[in-house]
Amino acid sequence: MNVVAQVEAQIKEEIKQALVKANLAKEEEIPDIILEKPKVKAHGDYATNIAMQMARVAKQAPRKIAEEIVQHLDTGKAMIEKIDIAGPGFINLFLDNGYLTKLIEQILAEKETYGRVNTGKGHKVLVEFVSANPTGDLHVGHARGAAYGDALCNILDAAGYDVSREYYINDAGNQIHNLALSIEARYMQALGKEWDMPEDGYHGQDIIEIGKELAVKDGDKWVHVPEEERIAYFREYGLKVELEKIKQDLANFDVHFDNWFSETSLYETNKVEATLEKLQEKEMIYEKDGATWLKSTKFGDDKDRVVIKNDGTYTYLTPDIAYHLNKLERGFETLINIWGADHHGYIPRMKAAIQALGYAPETLEVEVIQMVNLIEDGEKVKMSKRTGRALTLRQLMEEVGKDAMRYFFNTRSCDSHLDFDLDLARTQSNENPVYYVQYAHARICTMLEQAAEKGIDFSGFDSSLLKNEKEIDLLKQLGDFPKTIADAAEKRAPHLVTQYVFDLSALLHSYYNAEKVIKEDNLDLTKARLALMAAVKITIANALKLIGVHAPQKMYRDEE
RNA sequence: GCGCCCAUAGCUCAAUUGGAUAGAGCGUCUGACUACGGAUCAGAAGGUUGAGGGUUCGACUCCUUCUGGGCGCGCCA
């Protein structure tokens, strides 16, 4: 446990004891005491609203309760220097911040593990994300999902969850057939033949390339084989090429999956039939109008859903239920799915299916990523994979860069719709806040390097010399890191980490401009400050790693 | 028509999940090293949190009605 958490726990305990000693409540009547960090410094290091919360139980005015608490509080044990009662009954606590300096030793010792907590307690979580159909390039929306999903996984891992990342490949359905037909058309066109694209074909540039590629490689070989054989080959070929591209793009984006799960494999291992049998046993499916239906209305869905059509084939839902059952059978306790907003209507039926199989509804959590609007020349660009008018992840990486993208997507909470101004991203990428944070890291590297050149290190430093306000602010922020991780994990909100590291960087820059770290006339102070800098450096790097952003030793600026 | 999401500074977004004076970036304006990197810093201006009603000590946050926008609503995937 880190020193900050220890101090907070101690304060909470002392407040609890004070309530008991003042005869305001029995120990078991006291709710969890919440310590808040006030926005305004005049309100202390911590504030608690416990007096207001206890007003009903104790049947007294909040301010009166607050006074009682203050009188009975053991300020020595809780390291409290001063207490105020303010407003309707807030208790503001001003701490002796001496304990904070111990943080530096802790951070320097823990290094890249600093910040890790164990609120997850080894809970097994499967996060499924991106899962785009292998029928074309990943676009901006997928990039957002990938950036969010990967950061979330990193954070869950840092919070002590046992996380797996998975990509579900829809390689069995109709859309793959359309892919094959689209490739066929492009292939024929590449050979100079008149050939119409299929109704629901994929019009992307990448498919045109595949058609050309095949024409060059195999000539007109596929014109002369039976259609069935040709389509089968194009299907397999297209799938392989598209999937490889997706894997490569994601790897370049620094997103790595533990498992690529193929829909086809569900059929090969008869999982779909087994799932239907299980639903049958539980009497969760029935027949009507020649089709088989899932009783999803039993679990809050609008209507029951077809699982076997009257032509005997499955709907999209059926293998998907089998897939989710398979996840659960592999021992995952919580399933987190990250879906685009255009699939949100699908959530109730999937949750219903989970319950129909006998699992609690909370087992499946769906995080919905809102749409990304692309703005170019001040106008919204309508994105569509079908028409091929989409900005791809790859293009975006070439123009903006991985770090800026991953940082940008994780400054927003995932349920906000957001506009991505392409012109802004192109022309002002140097104004992107990611450089601000990276610069803070690089600055510290430079300082440490220069100190080393002068033969100064921070061995035997005395952290109690760090007393000025900006140093205390930095220390407090450093101490907040573990809690930020726990918070971000619990709320599935990586943007809290991004905000955290931005704030830490702002404090660093401010400090840097106000105080000189390397003071050759004061070696003791220099050592202490260098140690602080090293601790900030570690923390920035750890935070950036969670978001998937590189922490550079030096900053290079592109020359115009 | 029904369901989900959203509406906060000129623009893009936050807000410790019900807390005190709603904060950042960009943009605008004023300042700062012959100094460890100026991709920085110090400061200013900018708000009836879409509108109305309710809940309570206290509301951007919860409930309700309305307005505006996005996305869904198939025996498609």
Side-chain angles (χ1 to χ4, degrees), chain A residues 3 6-8 10-11 14 45 74-82 93-100 102:
Chain A
V3 293
Q6 275 172 26
V7 168
E8 287 176 6
Q10 185 72 39
I11 295 171
E14 293 308 324
D45 298 303
D74 186 334
T75 51
K77 273 193 192 165
M79 312 198 62
I80 294 165
E81 211 170 67
K82 192 179 101 177
L93 307 169
F94 295 79
L95 266 53
D96 171 3
N97 286 312
Y99 75 95
L100 281 171
K102 286 187 212 145

Side-chain angles (χ1 to χ4, degrees), chain A residues 137-144 383-385 390-393 396:
Chain A
D137 284 324
L138 299 172
H139 56 68
V140 217
H142 296 127
R144 186 180 190 184
M383 286 189 293
S384 151
K385 205 184 216 180
L391 180 73
T392 67
L393 185 151
L396 209 50

Side-chain angles (χ1 to χ4, degrees), chain A residues 1-3 101-116 458 461 478 531-532 534-536 538-539 542:
Chain A
M1 184 145 74
N2 69 79
V3 293
T101 56
K102 286 187 212 145
L103 257 179
I104 299 180
E105 283 92 331
Q106 188 190 350
I107 295 170
L108 295 179
E110 294 185 10
K111 296 193 183 72
E112 57 276 3
T113 65
Y114 175 65
R116 291 189 71 92
F458 48 81
F461 68 92
L478 290 176
L532 173 62
V536 174
I538 288 168
T539 308
N542 290 358

Side-chain angles (χ1 to χ4, degrees), chain A residues 458-507:
Chain A
F458 48 81
S459 58
F461 68 92
D462 174 7
S463 53
S464 68
L465 297 172
L466 301 171
K467 284 187 179 137
N468 83 41
E469 198 185 346
K470 286 182 193 293
E471 284 159 354
I472 300 296
D473 286 347
L474 272 169
L475 286 166
K476 280 188 193 167
Q477 183 74 5
L478 290 176
D480 271 348
F481 189 43
K483 211 192 318 174
T484 301
I485 289 178
D487 230 34
E490 193 195 338
K491 294 173 186 161
R492 324 293 194 225
H495 74 277
L496 295 176
V497 173
T498 313
Q499 250 176 270
Y500 169 85
V501 75
F502 181 84
D503 290 342
L504 177 57
S505 302
L507 291 172

Side-chain angles (χ1 to χ4, degrees), chain A residues 267 272-273 276 290-292 306-315 318:
Chain A
Y267 294 100
V272 185
E273 288 84 343
L276 286 169
T292 305
V306 171
V307 285
I308 305 176
K309 297 184 249 177
N310 59 17
D311 67 358
T313 60
Y314 301 132
T315 61
T318 316

